[in-house]
Amino acid sequence: MHLPAVLSLLLVVSTVQAFQYTELAQFIDSHQEEYVETLRDWVAIESDSSNVMRRNDLHRMMELVAQKLRLMGGTVELVDIGEQELPDGQTLLLPKVVTAQFGTDVNKHTVCVYGHVDVQPAKLEDGWATDPYNLTDINGHLYGRGASDNKAPVLAWIHAVGAYQALNMELPVNVKFVIEGMEETGSNGLDAMILAQRDTFFSDVDYIIISDCGWLSRRPALTYGTRGNCYFFAEVEGPKQDLHSGVYGGTVIEPMTDLIGILDTLISPSGKILIPGIREAVAPLSDEEWKRYQDIQFDVEDYKNKIGVSQLMYSNKVDLLAHRWRYPTVTIHGIEGAFSDPGTKTVIPAKVTAKFSIRQVPDMDPAMVKKQVTDYLHSVFAKRKSPNKLKVTMVIGAKPWLADTQHPLYEAGKIAIKRVFDMDADLIREGGTIPIARTFQDVLGKSIIMMPIGGFDDGMHSQNEKMSRYNYIEGTKLFISYLNEVSQIQKTSV
Ligand SMILES: CC(C)C[C@H](N)C(=O)NCC(=O)O
């Protein structure tokens, strides 16, 4: 073909693509009320995976996801992943995992979008300004539990595929979905399901895309690392029942005093982890990494104000980002069995269970961390010479994940972000955990990209979680654009 003919063909192709994007983006804009309504229906289901009393809601949630994908003509399955064993030895049915497939063209790439539709607990009395399960639009912010983490991003992906379908446009890549309902409690059962379907459902998947995190600031971002998490229960058991603290206090060695005593040895006031071996395992911060953090736009004062604290653990940007993303930390989350209602109750609790977690980073190993923590707590407890009984269990052991930002998936992401937001993407890491990310990498050997659409101030896991309309709607356009960019990646990239 003559050069002018090639050029005019290229022009035609690029004109068609640009035209397609504009039409698709307009379609998204004109359907935004419908998308908000669907999010409202999804948020209304209290799909709290940590509360066994809500398991039926979680089952219902998975059915709803499957039904939505079926109505779009996908090949959908609700995969049984068995049962979960509870700490008291009882078993409970795990929510099924939804898998779906749109397109089977062998000449196209196949991407697999992973997401979750379970949520963290939320009650109005925790301090929410609105009912957490009634999506409420205030000034363009959609408040509700799970709005940002992770229901709106999952819906945005579904709507992105739906827009191509509605406009009779061919999907540029085949799209598969894996949507689970146990992410917030460690993705129980999903590892085994991925392993079992490695040579079937996942055999033709080229890339994994995850949108279960947030931006660092108002700039859109691509995420290339997450921390893992080891979650522990430390139970101290003493008398056979709760006791009156006036009648028995002073004669009994109290479980709560023992528990607080050992918890206090986990971390120093300046944030130094005191468990032997933990800090030694952490990969050192390289000069290149330091420079990368230094170059990121991040306003420390803004961050401080957003959280509402007068002082942070570190005052400079690099230290803050590094400790947020690439160093481990200990967090004590709560104590089961302790009196925590309003008012006073003069009781000596007979059995108390502390819940704490240690975020994992390269090169920590959860199996090693489990041993280090268990041995350490027993040795500290032994020194107290208490007659009470200590039991330490690790209930989640999720590894960290780190990607190569030179992979074409990230280049494609930058182009898509530029097109939709007319901004350059921040390349960031995430301090939170997506337990299954590392499994996708290790078991399937697939490349992963995290493409967040959540805002920096969405309040995931806290009171007044929200997703802004802007992020929800522009995020849907981003996914539309990204599918197109991924289709341009050379077939040889893994
Ligand atoms: C910001 C996180 C990666 C979001 C994720 N859905 C999550 O909350 N995971 C559990 C965790 O405790 O980090």
Side-chain angles (χ1 to χ4, degrees):
M1 206 185 290
H2 292 304
L3 195 58
V6 173
L7 284 178
S8 66
L9 184 65
L10 282 176
L11 197 65
V12 169
V13 170
S14 69
T15 315
V16 168
Q17 280 171 356
F19 174 66
Q20 282 184 323
Y21 174 69
T22 309
E23 264 202 343
L24 286 158
Q26 279 168 357
F27 181 88
I28 299 301
D29 281 332
S30 60
H31 286 76
Q32 66 167 284
E33 286 317 319
E34 187 185 312
Y35 299 153
V36 171
E37 283 317 303
T38 313
L39 180 59
R40 186 184 311 288
D41 294 343
W42 281 29
V43 165
I45 299 183
E46 195 174 336
S47 49
D48 175 356
S49 52
S50 68
N51 183 348
V52 296
M53 306 306 287
R54 290 285 162 199
R55 192 50 56 92
N56 281 341
D57 294 290
L58 200 45
H59 293 312
R60 197 153 56 88
M61 187 70 232
M62 304 320 295
E63 290 286 348
L64 195 64
V65 175
Q67 187 195 0
K68 172 128 192 97
L69 293 162
R70 261 191 224 112
L71 284 173
M72 290 166 61
T75 309
V76 181
E77 272 188 53
L78 273 160
V79 184
D80 189 343
I81 55 166
E83 290 178 337
Q84 164 189 20
E85 194 178 319
L86 301 174
D88 64 3
Q90 290 192 50
T91 54
L92 190 64
L93 213 55
L94 285 164
K96 293 190 167 84
V97 172
V98 179
T99 62
Q101 172 160 10
F102 294 86
T104 53
D105 186 339
V106 288
N107 296 313
K108 291 179 182 171
H109 288 300
T110 300
V111 300
C112 177
V113 174
Y114 159 83
H116 69 93
V117 287
D118 60 315
V119 299
Q120 288 275 318
K123 292 195 289 277
L124 187 60
E125 52 277 23
D126 292 341
W128 280 68
T130 57
D131 175 357
Y133 298 101
N134 180 12
L135 193 77
T136 309
D137 185 343
I138 303 175
N139 299 329
H141 295 304
L142 306 166
Y143 291 90
R145 173 55 91 223
S148 181
D149 185 6
N150 178 224
K151 290 179 175 176
V154 169
L155 276 172
W157 273 110
I158 294 176
H159 296 146
V161 171
Y164 275 101
Q165 290 181 326
L167 294 176
N168 284 321
M169 290 179 187
E170 210 182 309
L171 275 171
V173 293
N174 304 313
V175 181
K176 289 189 167 184
F177 284 95
V178 174
I179 311 295
E180 67 152 323
M182 289 299 287
E183 191 270 351
E184 298 291 3
T185 54
S187 289
N188 321 40
L190 191 58
D191 281 304
M193 178 263 178
I194 290 172
L195 190 59
Q197 302 220 9
R198 184 175 53 187
D199 301 324
T200 50
F201 181 80
F202 293 103
S203 63
D204 60 349
V205 169
D206 296 299
Y207 309 120
I208 309 281
I209 311 174
I210 302 178
S211 300
D212 180 21
C213 36
W215 299 348
L216 180 65
S217 65
R218 292 186 200 283
R219 295 163 66 84
L222 296 171
T223 306
Y224 63 93
T226 49
R227 290 196 287 192
N229 201 9
C230 287
Y231 201 108
F232 291 91
F233 288 180
E235 174 193 292
V236 180
E237 190 170 7
K240 64 177 187 204
Q241 65 195 51
D242 291 355
L243 300 171
H244 189 300
S245 70
V247 177
Y248 298 97
T251 65
V252 170
I253 296 158
E254 301 188 10
M256 183 74 99
T257 314
D258 279 343
L259 187 64
I260 301 288
I262 64 169
L263 289 179
D264 194 38
T265 66
L266 291 174
I267 188 160
S268 80
S270 62
K272 185 171 153 190
I273 297 179
L274 304 173
I275 307 153
I278 298 269
R279 283 181 295 128
E280 291 76 352
V282 175
L285 181 81
S286 68
D287 292 347
E288 189 199 338
E289 212 183 328
W290 190 94
K291 168 105 183 42
R292 196 173 246 194
Y293 298 166
Q294 180 62 36
D295 291 346
I296 290 180
Q297 280 180 32
F298 177 71
D299 190 320
V300 175
E301 278 309 301
D302 244 22
Y303 181 67
K304 216 162 81 179
N305 293 338
K306 188 194 92 182
I307 307 172
V309 294
S310 58
Q311 189 192 323
L312 293 163
M313 200 70 101
Y314 306 92
S315 54
N316 77 76
K317 177 174 75 175
V318 173
D319 278 339
L320 270 180
L321 291 178
H323 281 87
R324 199 174 154 178
W325 294 341
R326 60 99 60 225
Y327 285 122
T329 190
V330 171
T331 302
I332 299 168
H333 305 285
I335 299 180
E336 190 177 324
F339 171 64
S340 66
D341 291 342
T344 58
K345 182 179 181 189
T346 49
V347 71
I348 299 173
K351 183 167 100 178
V352 278
T353 308
K355 320 271 173 97
F356 66 92
S357 68
I358 306 179
R359 295 285 167 176
Q360 306 289 297
V361 299
D363 297 318
M364 294 167 80
D365 170 18
M368 184 60 82
V369 171
K370 178 179 175 183
K371 181 167 168 24
Q372 287 162 337
V373 171
T374 311
D375 289 354
Y376 176 67
L377 283 182
H378 277 289
S379 77
V380 173
F381 189 71
K383 289 193 191 122
R384 298 181 68 86
K385 304 204 182 314
S386 168
N388 297 327
K389 287 185 201 60
L390 169 70
K391 191 165 116 197
V392 181
T393 2
M394 187 171 90
V395 292
I396 299 177
K399 292 179 179 172
W401 162 81
L402 202 53
D404 173 10
T405 55
Q406 299 303 316
H407 192 280
L409 277 178
Y410 283 82
E411 263 328 296
K414 288 180 197 170
I415 297 171
I417 284 180
K418 186 83 185 158
R419 172 186 274 152
V420 176
F421 295 97
D422 195 23
M423 276 189 247
D424 291 328
D426 266 344
L427 277 178
I428 62 171
R429 281 167 76 160
E430 170 59 64
T433 304
I434 299 175
I436 215 61
R438 185 65 178 269
T439 307
F440 282 130
Q441 198 172 47
D442 292 351
V443 175
L444 302 180
K446 307 292 179 195
S447 293
I448 304 166
I449 185 167
M450 292 200 192
M451 178 168 274
I453 59 167
F456 71 98
D457 55 353
D458 279 0
M460 294 179 177
H461 295 201
S462 24
Q463 297 89 343
N464 304 321
E465 176 181 351
K466 59 100 176 138
M467 179 78 181
S468 73
R469 259 177 195 263
Y470 173 78
N471 283 51
Y472 185 27
I473 299 306
E474 299 308 299
T476 308
K477 295 177 195 169
L478 173 64
F479 296 160
I480 282 173
S481 171
Y482 190 56
L483 292 178
N484 187 56
E485 291 310 323
V486 172
S487 73
Q488 317 284 315
I489 296 177
Q490 288 208 339
K491 256 288 193 188
T492 47
S493 296
V494 284

